[in-house]
Amino acid sequence: MRNQKGLAPARNAVDATLMSAELMQALRPHMAKVHWAKIVGPQVASVTQVEAVRAGSVLVVRVKNSVWANELTLLKDDIIKRLNQKLGGKVITDLHFKASGLARTKTKLEPVMAKAPGPGEIERLDVSVATRAKIAAAVQKIENDALRQQVERTLLKFAQANEWKKDQGWLPCASCDALTEFHGQEIVLCPACALSRRNRDVQTIQGRPTGQP
């Protein structure tokens, strides 16, 4: 029993290493999208969009029209060869060109440059009458006068800080509605929700059998 307990950490390390290797193997075909534009060049990249990976190794690509789809079909073997050279092995086995036109891409929002408020800048900001009414309603049941005033001041400062953020171009997170300064992605997410989404994506990938798209 003592020997088995001693082997447990090593066994756990091996399991973690194998899981990491399987995850990386499953992600390799999806890296083709990252390298696509560099592999095919700007002209082809402008009329194509990598849509998905099917059956673990088949790259599905949307094409602007049937003329381009036919042209790229003739170049398929060469493109697959160059993709696999970049991906480090026989990762992509086939390319499927769909002459379905390009999907509309959402306009990406630019990240807001971080800026710290000046001395007293937040305290000078006014808040709406409705916000002040909400603060008053939130603290009205606090019987202790000193505590009620302290909580009211804290909530007012929080509301003023939100007004300052709005003035600086911060946007509400699509998940929790908290204002966030960085929105360089298509969906505006605060750092906490973005991290949570990334963790869910990784767990989803880990839960798939190896080779499943």
Side-chain angles (χ1 to χ4, degrees):
M1 292 293 292
R2 189 172 299 172
N3 290 337
Q4 290 181 354
K5 289 182 179 179
L7 289 173
R11 190 180 300 115
N12 291 339
V14 171
D15 290 343
T17 301
L18 291 175
M19 181 178 293
S20 177
E22 290 177 357
L23 176 59
M24 290 305 297
Q25 186 65 24
L27 288 175
R28 284 176 74 192
H30 297 273
M31 290 300 295
K33 183 174 183 178
V34 177
H35 302 297
W36 178 259
K38 188 174 182 179
I39 293 295
V40 300
Q43 184 179 16
V44 173
S46 67
V47 296
T48 57
Q49 291 173 338
V50 178
E51 184 176 82
V53 177
R54 304 296 184 199
S57 61
V58 179
L59 202 63
V60 181
V61 182
R62 294 177 67 110
V63 186
K64 185 177 181 179
N65 53 46
S66 59
V67 175
W68 271 106
N70 293 333
E71 186 72 21
L72 291 173
T73 300
L74 298 175
L75 302 173
K76 181 169 67 173
D77 291 342
D78 182 58
I79 295 174
I80 291 174
K81 180 181 178 180
R82 285 186 286 157
L83 279 173
N84 284 333
Q85 286 176 344
K86 190 68 176 178
L87 297 173
K90 193 175 180 181
V91 180
I92 302 299
T93 60
D94 197 8
L95 288 174
H96 176 56
F97 295 108
K98 294 171 56 180
S100 52
L102 303 182
R104 287 186 178 181
T105 55
K106 297 179 181 178
T107 302
K108 289 191 175 182
L109 299 170
E110 293 299 324
V112 177
M113 297 300 292
K115 172 189 172 184
E121 185 176 353
I122 289 181
E123 289 76 6
R124 290 193 295 270
L125 290 174
D126 196 12
V127 297
S128 67
V129 175
T131 299
R132 289 184 178 275
K134 288 180 181 178
I135 293 174
V139 303
Q140 66 177 351
K141 292 184 179 180
I142 302 177
E143 296 181 358
N144 185 287
D145 291 341
L147 178 60
R148 183 175 62 253
Q149 291 172 8
Q150 182 179 356
V151 173
E152 188 173 7
R153 286 194 298 269
T154 300
L155 292 176
L156 178 59
K157 287 182 179 179
F158 181 79
Q160 289 172 319
N162 274 344
E163 290 299 322
W164 180 85
K165 291 175 181 179
K166 291 176 183 177
D167 289 344
Q168 301 304 314
W170 292 34
L171 295 178
C173 171
S175 182
C176 69
D177 210 36
L179 292 173
T180 179
E181 64 176 328
F182 182 76
H183 41 79
Q185 62 271 37
E186 294 178 359
I187 300 176
V188 178
L189 293 173
C190 68
C193 290
L195 178 60
S196 177
R197 173 171 291 195
R198 283 196 295 271
N199 289 339
R200 287 198 303 270
D201 291 344
V202 170
Q203 290 170 2
T204 299
I205 293 172
Q206 288 177 338
R208 296 175 182 171
T210 303
Q212 181 176 326

